[in-house]
């Protein structure tokens, strides 16, 4: 019993530490206006696109809800309307989940050189990467695109059963959003740590293994990012901080120091 409690407390501490890494990343970025601007530019471009898509989704949400509940066309009006409301909530919720995952992937691709610079500066501040693997810009983009497509594919596969379960009364409005947030947080942690792992010659499967061995830490960070990305414009304004925090997450998970060993200008 005492051993189980110790594991729970340890996991809770790691989760809280992961949440705190986003705050540390924000602090590092705010001390460097240049890095902040570098990270905001691609996020702003992606943000405009996704705002337009969100407006279109809301505009056509009633039609999508009706189409998704075709089986209820012959039901009593009150029951049909109730099912359509649940369907609309499920479509909106899962669209937000997929939107956050794909927004992160698209933004990282658009701003790959910028975010690589941010991540590299953060690494240098905490001791650097002595065994860094040089990768060309085109190869980095190719790898990032391939890894992002895999993660987006996983998120789509997960979204389908979540949507179906979201139609269930009570469960769909309580348990499913929590599960969706946890899945979204895990996928965000995998996406955002791409640059520091590529710098070490490691790919997506390595990220899964390393972060999986530090799952409470990774989930704490990913959940914090997911929540702030739900805030209007949060994904745009905090993208640079998320990249910086993910670099700290990667270093911590790989057993590298995240205490300042040098204080070069970021």
């Amino acid at each position: 019993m005492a051993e189980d409690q110790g594991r729970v407390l340890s996991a809770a501490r790691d989760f809280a530490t992961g949440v705190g890494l986003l705050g540390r990343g924000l602090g590092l970025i705010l001390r460097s206006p240049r890095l902040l601007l570098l990270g905001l530019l691609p996020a702003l471009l992606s943000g405009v696109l996704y705002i337009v898509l969100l407006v279109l989704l809301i505009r056509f949400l009633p039609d999508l809800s009706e189409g998704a509940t075709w089986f209820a066309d012959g039901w009593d009006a009150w029951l049909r309307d109730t099912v359509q409301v649940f369907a609309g909530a499920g479509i909106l919720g899962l669209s937000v989940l997929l939107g956050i995952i794909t927004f992160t992937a698209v933004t990282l691709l658009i701003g790959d050189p910028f975010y690589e610079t941010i991540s590299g500066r953060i690494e240098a501040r905490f001791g650097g990467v002595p065994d860094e693997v040089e990768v060309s810009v085109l190869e980095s983009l190719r790898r990032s695109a391939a890894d992002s497509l895999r993660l987006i594919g996983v998120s789509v596969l997960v979204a389908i059963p979540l949507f179906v379960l979201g139609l269930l009364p009570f469960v769909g409005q309580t348990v499913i959003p929590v599960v969706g947030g946890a899945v979204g947080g895990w996928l965000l942690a995998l996406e955002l740590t791409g640059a520091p792992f590529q710098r070490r010659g490691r790919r997506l499967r390595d990220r899964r293994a390393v972060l999986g061995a530090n799952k409470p830490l990774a989930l704490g960070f990913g959940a914090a990012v997911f929540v702030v990305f739900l805030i209007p414009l949060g994904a745009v304004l905090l993208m640079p901080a998320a990249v910086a925090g993910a670099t700290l997450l990667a270093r911590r998970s790989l057993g590298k120091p995240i205490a300042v060993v040098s204080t070069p200008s970021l």
Side-chain angles (χ1 to χ4, degrees):
M1 181 66 70
E3 186 177 345
D4 290 338
Q5 290 178 340
R7 288 199 198 95
V8 171
L9 288 174
S10 177
R13 282 195 297 269
D14 286 345
F15 187 90
T17 299
V19 172
L21 291 178
L22 178 60
R24 286 190 63 182
L26 178 60
L28 289 167
I29 290 297
L30 289 178
R31 287 197 286 273
S32 176
R34 178 173 175 273
L35 289 187
L36 177 61
L37 289 174
L38 274 179
L40 284 178
L41 288 175
L44 284 171
L45 291 175
S46 297
V48 171
L49 171 63
Y50 275 78
I51 287 172
V52 172
L53 292 176
L54 178 60
V55 170
L56 289 174
L57 172 66
I58 294 173
R59 164 65 180 80
F60 292 104
L61 188 59
D63 295 333
L64 293 172
S65 301
E66 289 181 14
T69 56
W70 53 269
F71 55 85
D73 288 344
W75 296 3
D76 291 340
W78 71 270
L79 184 56
R80 183 184 65 242
D81 292 344
T82 300
V83 171
Q84 287 178 357
V85 168
F86 284 141
I91 291 171
L92 183 60
L94 293 177
S95 295
V96 169
L97 170 62
L98 293 174
I100 289 175
I101 300 300
T102 57
F103 170 86
T104 304
V106 169
T107 305
L108 289 174
L109 284 175
I110 292 174
D112 185 76
F114 299 147
Y115 295 126
E116 174 65 32
T117 297
I118 291 174
S119 180
R121 293 288 184 87
I122 299 298
E123 294 254 41
R125 187 177 179 86
F126 293 93
V129 183
D131 55 346
E132 182 173 353
V133 176
E134 292 293 335
V135 179
S136 68
V137 174
L138 289 178
E139 179 62 16
S140 177
L141 285 171
R142 187 193 69 78
R143 291 181 180 181
S144 296
D147 290 346
S148 294
L149 286 174
R150 291 189 185 99
L151 290 173
I152 290 171
V154 170
S155 65
V156 171
L157 291 175
V158 171
I160 295 172
L162 286 180
F163 170 73
V164 175
L165 293 173
L167 297 176
L168 298 175
F170 183 71
V171 173
Q173 293 72 54
T174 54
V175 177
I176 300 306
V178 174
V179 173
V183 171
W186 171 248
L187 293 174
L188 284 175
L190 286 172
E191 278 193 325
L192 289 164
T193 51
F197 274 87
Q198 281 201 48
R199 192 171 292 116
R200 294 166 171 83
R202 301 195 181 194
R203 298 298 303 277
L204 179 58
R205 61 180 177 276
D206 301 304
R207 277 183 266 166
R208 287 198 185 102
V210 172
L211 295 183
N214 297 270
K215 191 161 287 184
L217 183 73
L219 282 175
F221 172 77
V225 174
F226 189 85
V227 169
V228 298
F229 277 17
L230 289 174
I231 301 170
L233 296 180
V236 174
L237 298 176
L238 288 174
M239 190 67 180
V243 171
T247 304
L248 297 178
L249 170 63
R251 291 185 64 86
R252 172 71 181 262
S253 299
L254 290 164
K256 304 300 180 182
I258 55 173
V260 177
V261 297
S262 61
T263 55
S265 174
L266 291 175

